[in-house]
Structure formats: C-alpha cells, structure tokens
Amino acid sequence: MFLHSVNLWNLAFYALMVFMATLGLWDVFFGFEENKCSMSYMFEYPEYQKIELPKKLAKRYPAYELYLYGEGSYAEEHKSLPLTGIPVLFLPGNAGSYKQVRSIGSIALRKAEDIDFKYHFDFFSVNFNEELVALYGGSLQKQTKFVHECIKTILKLYKGQEFAPKSVAIIGHSMGGLVARALLTLKNFKQDLINLLITQATPHVAPVMPLDRFITDFYMTVNNYWILNARHINLTTLSVAGGFRDYQVRSGLTFLPKLSHHTSALSVVSSAVPKTWVSTDHLSIVWCKQLQLTTIRAFFDLIDADTKQDTNSWIFGCINSTSMCRQGVDLSWKAELLPTIKSLTLRLQDYPSLSHLVVYVPSIHGSKFVVDCEFFKKETRSIQLPVTHLFSFGLSSRKVILNTSGLFYNIELLNFGQIYQAFKINVVSKCSSVKEEITSIYKLHIPWSYEDSLTIAQAPSSTEISLKLHIAQPENDSHVALLKMYTSSDCQYEVTVKTSFSQILGQVVRFHGGALPAYVISSILLAYGGQLYSLFSTGHCLEYAAMLDKEAKPYKVDPFVIMIKFLLGYKWFKELWDVLLLPELDAIVLTSQSMCFPLVSLILFLFGTCTAYWGGLLSSTSVRLLSSLWLALKRPSELPKDIKMISADLPFLTVVLIIVSWTTCGAFAILLTYLYYVFKIVHLQASLTSYKNSQTVNPKHSRRSEKKCSQHKDSAAHHRRLSAGDAEDSIRMHSTVINLLTWVVLLSMPSLIYWLKNLRYYFKLNPDPCKPLAFILIPTMAILGNTYTVSIKSSKLLKTTSQFPLPLAVGVIAFGSAHLYRVPCFVFIPLLLHALCNFM
C-alpha cells in the first residue's frame, strides 16, 4: 500500500537519490589511501601503575583514575616512587582507553634507553571510564576539573628532587585535546602548569555532532576564551589531524581557531608532517609508528638542542672560495625533506658570493647516493593548469605536457580553493632507455593550510591523485595551490585534471552529513502538515508517501532561510532579531566556517526527502510485520467499540513515565513512551487486519456491520464507534507521527547510552539534556496514542494545527542544521497541537 501511493517516476527519483548518497558515503568511508601506518609494538610487557589519589578526590570522581605507564625494569623501579623523569599526561578521547598511551610511551622509553637515560619521560594517562563525551557533553566540565587535580597530583610525585618539574606536557587524543584546552578556562588554574600541548584528531572548531546544548556551550566557552585571551596565552600548541582517512573527525574541525600572531599555535595534517607523510584514521593516529616517532623526536629536541634529529646538516655553501672551501654556510635548514630524497632550491641572487656547494655523504656500507643538480629559470618550471568546472561532471578535462627534461616542476592549479571542489589528477610518465624504475614524487601543496600530501610513483607509470580540501581558501588569500613534481630528467610527464562527481558528493557528506537529520525531519513535518490539512478539508487522511511527494518541496523552505540570512545583513533587522532573543542563524555559522556550498541545501533537502521516504517505508512495513506477529500469537482483536481519549490507566502511565524521567534519564522515558505509542499502533493495525479478514470471509456480515456503523456515527458524540475507514485514516496519521518520533528517539539515544554505561556509578543522569523534552512529550504521546482521526476532524484547532508544520520545517533548517539538539523542540509543537485538537 505504501509503494502504491507513489508513482514510478517518484520511485525512480528516490532510487537515484539513494545512488547519489551511496556515492558520497563511499567516498567518505572508502575513498582514501590505504593505511600506510606501521604498527608500534611494545618491547616488553606494558604495565599501568595506578596512582593513588586523595580520598576526597577519589570520592568526588569515582569513575575516573590516574595511571603511570611503564615496561620491564622501568616499571619495577618506579613502583616505589618518587619519579625522576619529565612528566607527560595523556588524555584519551571519546570512548577512549587510558591504555592508548602505550604506543607513544613505549617509543619514548626506547629513545631514552638509546641515550642512556640522560633524559627520559614519565607518561601518565587518565582513565575517563571510556565516556562518550563526543555524544554527551554533560561530563566535559567534570573531566576538565579532574585533569586539573591530576596535574597537581603528578607534580607532587616529584617533590624532593633538586630540579623538580613545575609543569607537564599534555597529549590529548580526540576530545581529550579539547579538555586540555578547557583547563585554561578554570578560574583557579595556573597557565604555567602546562608547558606543551599536542592534540591528535581533536575537533577544536565545533562538535562533530551537536547533540546536546552542553557540548555546544562547552565549545563556546573554550573557543571564546582562547580568542579573547590570545595575547596572554603563552602555550605552545600543536594540533595534528588524520587527513581523509579519519572520517569520524574531519580534518577541517581540528584546525585551531584563528587567534593572533602572538600565539604559538600550529595546525597540521599528518600527511604534511615530515617523516610521517601518511594519513591516519581516528584510532590509528595514537599508534601510527611514523607519527609517534616524529612526536617523540620533537619531545627530545625540546630538551636537548644538540640532537636535531629532523634536519641533519648535509649540504653547505662555500663563500668567496677558490680551490679550498675556507668559509661556509649551512644550507640544510633550507632543504625540503621528502620520503626518498632531499631537495634544495636556491635563488642565486640571494647568494652572490657563493662559489661551491658541498654535499656531505655519510659512509654507510652498501648504500648508494645519487646527487642531481640543475640550473633553471623559475618561470620555465612554473606551469599553469586551470581546473575544470564544477558541473562538468568529469566529462571534460584539461592537460599539460612536460616535454623538457628537468628535476622539478610547479603546476599551478588555478581556480581551486573551495571545499566543494574535487578533482582527479592523472600523471602519466614515459621514460626512454631506462633499465630500472625511477622514483618520482608528487606533492600537493596547499599554501593557506598545512594539509600537504605526497604521492610516490615509479616511472614509467600512470598515477591518480585525489584533489580536494580540508580548509577553504580565505577570502583575502591570493596564493595558488601547487602540484610540486620531483621528476627525472630521463622522463616526460603528462598531467590531466578532471572533475570527480563522486568526490564532490563525498565532500557534501563529509562537511554536511551531520545536518541530514534536520532535513529529514523538515520533510516529514511538511508531509505531516499536508495530512492534517487533508483531514481538515476532505475529512480523510492521505497516505504519507503521497503527501511527502506533494508537500516536501525545497522551495517551501530554502527561500525563507535565504531571505532571513539576507535581511540579517541590515542593522535594523539584526537589532530586531536580537530584541526577540532569537539564536544565530545556522547558515551564518556555516558561512563563518567557509562551509557554504552552492546548492548544498538543495542537495541535502533531496537527500532528506529520500531518507524520509525510505524511512517511512521501513516503519510502515515494520508495523505491519509486528501486527502480523501479534495476530499469530494472540486471539484476533476487534476495532474499538467506544473511542476514549483518556482511558482509565492513561493518567497512571503518564505519571509513572514522568517519574522515570525525573529519577533516571529523560531519554529512557522518551524511549518507553515511544514503545508504548508503537504498541498502540501495532494493536490498531492488528485489529484492522483482523476486521478486514473477517469481512472477506463473511461479506453479508460486512454489509450489516457497515450499516450499523453508519447508524452509529449519527449517535451521540460521547459514544463513537471506529469504522474501518476511520481506522485506516488513523493508522496513516499515526505512521507519520511514528516517523517523527523515531528521529526524536534517535537524537536522544546518546544520552541514554551514556546513562546506561555509567549506571553503576549513579542512577540519575545529571545534567540531563532530554528531561525538559520528556516532560512535554510523555503526556502528549500518551494522548496521541489514544487519538483517532474521527475524534479530531471536527476540531476548531485542526486548521491552525495543519498550518504550523510549514514554519516549523523552515525553523528546523534555520536553527537545527548545525545544532541538532534543537530539532526535537520543533517536533513536539505540532504533536502537542495535534493532541489538543481532542479537547477543542
């Protein structure tokens, strides 16, 4: 019946939307390089020594603990305490384990052994009980305060030393990095307790999924503090992102908010880190051997300036020399370190007295070193390549051919700087008279952000490179993205670029996929309003799928959002907006983050309508299957003979659910209310199916029953019998309500999961983001579960109720696409009005 209400063209359209969404999802979850990270292993069995905390502190935070990492003899020696190393504190992220410290802790221990423990680091780790802080923000402040106490406890372990440390270095993974930044917002926190902060895959800009107001408030507090106090924050901060392999936290969110030139903050993608050069997923970033080795080298470099592991001196320039180099200058610091080569480009105008170049080659047995050198004019090696248009869909391409022999080329990728652009670059190398393969390196350089990536190819070959961005080019930035090609003089190269439609869809999903629930609910609200109006105007409720096709149109929503955004540019409208205490428009928030794609709202609306359609099909099918199961297990039931809005047990059930919400978790009470509502609809569907089956067997009884039912409709309003037609109308309406309520339950699930996971520590969730919603939704759904279309079609409030979903559908997009926790607030309003139609 659900499919019959949709014509074939619409069905084909919904299937096309599924195909396009699948392309985008495939690019996000599978369209990246293979995992090139080497696994880091422990040389000895890892041990985690629990640090005893003060009793008051342990009682205040019963779920949290502090550990010291160690292996072998080091672990045995330090069980007695005090410690003699340099303290480093590891903070795990969302659902993270304190044991994730073992990779970097083990590597640091091996490095200390190499220098005979001249220096060594003591790695501590906090156990946050693997809390889901990315989904529920109510415990972020509690974690921050606990970390502050941990730092003070750690520093006490070094008392009695001649040079006892007065600060710690912090490594924070995922949300642990945000907690570390939040330390500075505490009133009694001293900034000099931290000397270095490194965050790994931490979403600094905004939460990945803003599912409750506690997360967004926490982000606002932290980021506002760092921006307003930028001049006074003297803390070296490094944020490392995982690149496109990390689909849980996109790299654009990890870039620290722009502060000022006074701060020592740097944001970089792991593929741009020297000697790492790989993309990492959200978990492998803590154990990726290449990245952890680089991190530990940096730690030791900060202590001992003589080590200089990253840039050994290897090339020198002789100044004013003839046959012997009497005066030289170290040029190694100007060189670029690449996976298989070291490259140095000098402007000879900057060195007028340079006479010779000297290359230092260490004497390593069996190793072969090749030195290539050439002189060239810069303009001869810089070639411009405009990218293809966004809507060329890969049908056209642009090409450049590098015919001249050279070691280096700069391909300027013109008109490329937006996050919605995505291309495929194909580099074909052809070599003549080459007996062995030659290594070529292609480096994509993004000058306005540290998100470079490297591709190593063996010539001759054909190599495909993905071209897309994590950060859009700032408006005041005139730099051009570059494809730097380190080539062989024996080969010729052909570079082709064309638009990748699947990767464009991937960028839409990557940057805006989190807003999809808002668009789904907006479409369902439009269909819901259409059903209510059809009930008012014709006395019958049309099918959900037919109403979705008729009412869920983007031109009913997007123009209003665009108009509001335009008017907010005027001072008088902005002042009026502020007087009404309305929140900031989500479209303006996205614009400030350079996340406004052309037509992105249209694409998301189409995806949302498609999801609403298939979700409706799933829920309708589920109700029918459950009703069939009900009939198989129980005796067939009849249609209600007497329609009652408030049954005898309804007030008691409502009170019980409200008490459950108050004493435990609001999301749990919402889930119970949802199950009760579904049960009522399944029972009604089973009754209707049983009635129809009985009429098919005995048609004479059917005609008598219909006549009796028709006579019964003319009787007093307080004693109404439900006809088969009214039951079908009611089920159609209830199916749409179930679709709406399903998304409310899904959006409230994170706090429920958090509560269940921590049930052994506390019975009541505090703070509870869903409790206010539960207090309103419980009585509303209790009434709607006993509501039939026949009881509200004559209501004076029905016409007004049918008009509300349209502005609310606009409001969901305007205020809920970047703040998902607001979406349920727009859902309960029409449900409440629907319930009130029973009384007016």
Side-chain angles (χ1 to χ4, degrees):
M1 183 179 294
F2 188 92
L3 286 173
H4 292 164
S5 62
V6 181
N7 62 47
L8 292 178
W9 285 109
N10 288 336
L11 194 60
F13 168 75
Y14 291 134
L16 175 63
M17 289 297 103
V18 170
F19 175 73
M20 291 176 61
T22 302
L23 284 179
L25 290 170
W26 178 270
D27 179 71
V28 171
F29 292 106
F30 303 102
F32 42 71
E33 66 180 61
E34 62 181 5
N35 191 356
K36 297 178 182 178
C37 278
S38 300
M39 178 66 76
S40 53
Y41 295 96
M42 283 77 255
F43 288 83
E44 297 179 87
Y45 190 78
E47 294 187 30
Y48 306 89
Q49 180 182 350
K50 186 176 178 180
I51 303 298
E52 187 176 351
L53 300 173
K55 291 183 179 179
K56 288 185 179 180
L57 186 62
K59 187 176 180 180
R60 197 186 316 161
Y61 305 100
Y64 299 162
E65 297 169 323
L66 177 64
Y67 287 87
L68 171 65
Y69 177 80
E71 296 177 14
S73 59
Y74 170 87
E76 290 297 326
E77 291 173 4
H78 291 82
K79 282 184 178 179
S80 59
L81 302 176
L83 303 173
T84 58
I86 301 169
V88 180
L89 179 60
F90 176 80
L91 303 180
N94 177 60
S97 169
Y98 66 94
K99 295 183 179 180
Q100 289 174 312
V101 72
R102 63 183 177 269
S103 294
I104 194 166
S106 181
I107 292 174
L109 189 58
R110 301 285 82 78
K111 179 65 177 175
E113 288 179 349
D114 291 342
I115 60 173
D116 296 325
F117 283 93
K118 181 181 178 182
Y119 305 105
H120 75 274
F121 293 90
D122 298 321
F123 275 82
F124 297 85
S125 184
V126 173
N127 179 16
F128 285 134
N129 193 34
E130 300 183 9
E131 290 182 334
L132 302 172
V133 287
L135 304 179
Y136 169 76
S139 63
L140 284 169
Q141 190 67 20
K142 182 170 62 175
Q143 287 190 0
T144 305
K145 293 179 179 179
F146 179 74
V147 172
H148 183 200
E149 298 297 331
C150 285
I151 293 174
K152 292 189 288 186
T153 300
I154 289 170
L155 294 178
K156 288 179 182 178
L157 299 176
Y158 295 85
K159 278 190 173 181
Q161 285 192 33
E162 184 179 357
F163 300 102
K166 298 180 180 179
S167 60
V168 302
I170 294 181
I171 299 177
H173 173 240
S174 188
M175 295 297 287
L178 186 70
V179 168
R181 288 180 61 219
L183 286 168
L184 275 65
T185 66
L186 298 179
K187 292 181 179 179
N188 57 344
F189 184 80
K190 297 178 181 179
Q191 189 185 132
D192 55 5
L193 288 177
I194 308 176
N195 53 56
L196 173 67
L197 172 59
I198 297 178
T199 66
Q200 299 174 336
T202 296
H204 291 294
V205 177
V208 177
M209 294 289 286
L211 295 173
D212 64 56
R213 63 180 179 86
F214 305 120
I215 294 180
T216 55
D217 289 348
F218 189 81
Y219 266 89
M220 187 176 296
T221 300
V222 174
N223 286 333
N224 285 348
Y225 181 89
W226 277 65
I227 292 172
L228 295 175
N229 298 276
R231 290 177 175 269
H232 310 291
I233 296 177
N234 185 26
L235 175 61
T236 301
T237 308
L238 172 65
S239 174
V240 182
F244 288 108
R245 280 194 62 85
D246 188 352
Y247 51 78
Q248 295 185 43
V249 176
R250 61 178 180 83
S251 296
L253 291 177
T254 67
F255 281 64
L256 290 162
K258 296 296 182 182
L259 307 176
S260 73
H261 63 277
H262 297 279
T263 58
S264 303
L266 176 65
S267 302
V268 62
V269 179
S270 60
S271 59
V273 176
K275 291 194 175 183
T276 300
W277 298 307
V278 295
S279 176
T280 64
D281 60 53
H282 196 63
L283 292 179
S284 69
I285 198 170
V286 299
W287 57 255
C288 181
K289 186 176 181 180
Q290 295 95 315
L291 180 60
Q292 302 309 325
L293 282 171
T294 304
T295 304
I296 290 302
R297 289 191 193 104
F299 268 96
F300 279 89
D301 283 349
L302 289 172
I303 303 169
D304 187 0
D306 296 330
T307 56
K308 299 180 181 176
Q309 285 86 2
D310 288 333
T311 51
N312 289 317
S313 296
W314 64 277
I315 186 166
F316 308 86
C318 294
I319 299 175
N320 297 324
S321 302
T322 54
S323 60
M324 183 179 294
C325 188
R326 298 184 180 276
Q327 183 182 357
V329 58
D330 190 353
L331 301 174
S332 306
W333 301 96
K334 293 182 176 293
E336 184 172 15
L337 184 63
L338 297 168
T340 59
I341 63 173
K342 293 179 180 179
S343 174
L344 174 65
T345 303
L346 296 176
R347 291 184 59 199
L348 296 181
Q349 297 93 324
D350 298 337
Y351 301 90
S353 56
L354 189 67
S355 59
H356 298 79
L357 289 176
V358 178
V359 177
Y360 168 70
V361 179
S363 57
I364 301 177
H365 180 70
S367 297
K368 179 182 177 181
F369 296 90
V370 177
V371 179
D372 289 328
C373 182
E374 66 173 343
F375 295 89
F376 61 88
K377 293 183 179 179
K378 183 180 178 180
E379 56 271 16
T380 63
R381 299 299 173 85
S382 295
I383 301 171
Q384 294 184 341
L385 177 60
V387 297
T388 50
H389 194 271
L390 177 69
F391 296 108
S392 63
F393 300 107
L395 301 176
S396 62
S397 62
R398 287 175 179 162
K399 180 190 303 183
V400 293
I401 299 176
L402 312 178
N403 286 318
T404 59
S405 60
L407 301 176
F408 175 78
Y409 293 92
N410 254 339
I411 308 295
E412 299 180 1
L413 303 170
L414 303 182
N415 308 320
F416 173 64
Q418 301 301 321
I419 53 177
Y420 57 80
Q421 294 177 296
F423 306 92
K424 288 182 180 179
I425 295 179
N426 189 51
V427 181
V428 178
S429 57
K430 298 178 181 179
C431 307
S432 58
S433 64
V434 177
K435 296 181 180 179
E436 59 183 19
E437 289 186 335
I438 301 172
T439 300
S440 298
I441 298 177
Y442 313 130
K443 179 178 181 179
L444 179 62
H445 175 60
I446 309 299
W448 55 83
S449 63
Y450 293 94
E451 53 177 287
D452 296 0
S453 59
L454 294 176
T455 302
I456 303 174
Q458 301 297 327
S461 65
S462 177
T463 305
E464 186 176 275
I465 304 171
S466 293
L467 179 61
K468 51 194 174 186
L469 294 171
H470 298 290
I471 296 289
Q473 185 175 17
E475 293 183 0
N476 58 350
D477 193 296
S478 59
H479 291 91
V480 178
L482 300 174
L483 177 64
K484 294 185 174 183
M485 301 179 62
Y486 300 87
T487 59
S488 170
S489 58
D490 296 323
C491 303
Q492 292 183 344
Y493 296 82
E494 180 181 284
V495 182
T496 306
V497 61
K498 62 179 180 180
T499 301
S500 174
F501 182 64
S502 62
Q503 292 189 61
I504 291 174
L505 293 175
Q507 290 292 81
V508 172
V509 174
R510 182 175 288 108
F511 283 85
H512 291 278
L516 185 62
Y519 285 86
V520 176
I521 290 176
S522 179
S523 296
I524 299 175
L525 281 173
L526 291 173
Y528 183 41
Q531 284 183 313
L532 289 169
Y533 186 76
S534 70
L535 184 63
F536 165 75
S537 58
T538 66
H540 294 285
C541 180
L542 299 181
E543 282 280 357
Y544 167 74
M547 282 287 92
L548 192 69
D549 175 48
K550 180 181 178 182
E551 299 294 336
K553 305 297 183 184
Y555 61 77
K556 293 186 176 182
V557 175
D558 283 344
F560 292 98
V561 178
I562 295 171
M563 188 184 305
I564 294 172
K565 181 182 176 183
F566 172 76
L567 290 174
L568 282 171
Y570 291 94
K571 185 178 180 180
W572 64 271
F573 191 82
K574 183 65 170 66
E575 291 175 350
L576 177 62
W577 189 272
D578 294 337
V579 168
L580 295 175
L581 301 178
L582 293 173
E584 188 175 19
L585 199 68
D586 281 359
I588 294 178
V589 175
L590 297 177
T591 301
S592 66
Q593 298 175 6
S594 302
M595 284 178 54
C596 279
F597 291 20
L599 305 178
V600 67
S601 186
L602 173 62
I603 295 172
L604 288 174
F605 195 94
L606 296 178
F607 283 173
T609 304
C610 171
T611 306
Y613 169 77
W614 293 110
L617 177 61
L618 179 62
S619 66
S620 176
T621 303
S622 299
V623 167
R624 291 179 182 277
L625 289 175
L626 289 172
S627 66
S628 299
L629 181 62
W630 176 272
L631 290 174
L633 297 176
K634 296 200 66 174
R635 185 178 62 185
S637 53
E638 298 180 350
L639 292 174
K641 295 181 179 179
D642 188 15
I643 300 175
K644 295 181 180 180
M645 287 179 295
I646 302 179
S647 58
D649 60 341
L650 193 61
F652 173 75
L653 179 64
T654 302
V655 171
V656 168
L657 288 174
I658 289 177
I659 293 174
V660 168
S661 174
W662 179 263
T663 57
T664 60
C665 172
F668 180 55
I670 291 175
L671 177 62
L672 294 177
T673 304
Y674 172 76
L675 294 176
Y676 164 77
Y677 188 83
V678 171
F679 168 77
K680 296 289 291 186
I681 309 313
V682 168
H683 185 268
L684 179 60
Q685 178 68 58
S687 302
L688 179 61
T689 302
S690 177
Y691 174 81
K692 287 184 176 180
N693 291 340
S694 66
Q695 304 313 307
T696 304
V697 174
N698 192 347
K700 291 184 179 180
H701 175 74
S702 173
R703 286 192 293 270
R704 288 196 301 270
S705 180
E706 287 177 2
K707 183 177 180 182
K708 189 182 296 184
C709 183
S710 177
Q711 294 171 351
H712 197 77
K713 283 184 180 180
D714 297 330
S715 64
H718 64 271
H719 187 70
R720 290 172 293 188
R721 182 183 178 89
L722 191 68
S723 68
D726 291 331
E728 287 185 346
D729 280 351
S730 298
I731 288 175
R732 290 169 185 161
M733 184 67 73
H734 285 308
S735 296
T736 305
V737 174
I738 285 178
N739 291 335
L740 281 173
L741 201 59
T742 299
W743 283 97
V744 173
V745 171
L746 289 175
L747 291 175
S748 63
M749 275 293 104
S751 61
L752 174 61
I753 295 172
Y754 180 92
W755 173 71
L756 289 172
K757 195 172 183 300
N758 293 274
L759 198 56
R760 59 177 175 161
Y761 298 108
Y762 41 80
F763 191 69
K764 181 178 181 181
L765 182 63
N766 185 33
D768 188 347
C770 297
K771 187 175 294 182
L773 176 66
F775 287 166
I776 301 174
L777 208 58
I778 289 170
T780 300
M781 299 314 301
I783 294 173
L784 284 181
N786 292 273
T787 297
Y788 305 95
T789 54
V790 67
S791 61
I792 66 168
K793 64 173 62 177
S794 59
S795 170
K796 297 179 181 179
L797 190 60
L798 182 59
K799 183 178 181 180
T800 303
T801 302
S802 68
Q803 294 171 342
F804 260 80
L806 175 57
L808 292 173
V810 176
V812 166
I813 304 302
F815 302 108
S817 55
H819 298 81
L820 289 178
Y821 64 89
R822 295 174 181 166
V823 171
C825 300
F826 293 93
V827 174
F828 84 78
I829 295 175
L831 295 178
L832 179 61
L833 293 174
H834 187 173
L836 291 176
C837 287
N838 288 283
F839 307 99
M840 299 177 66

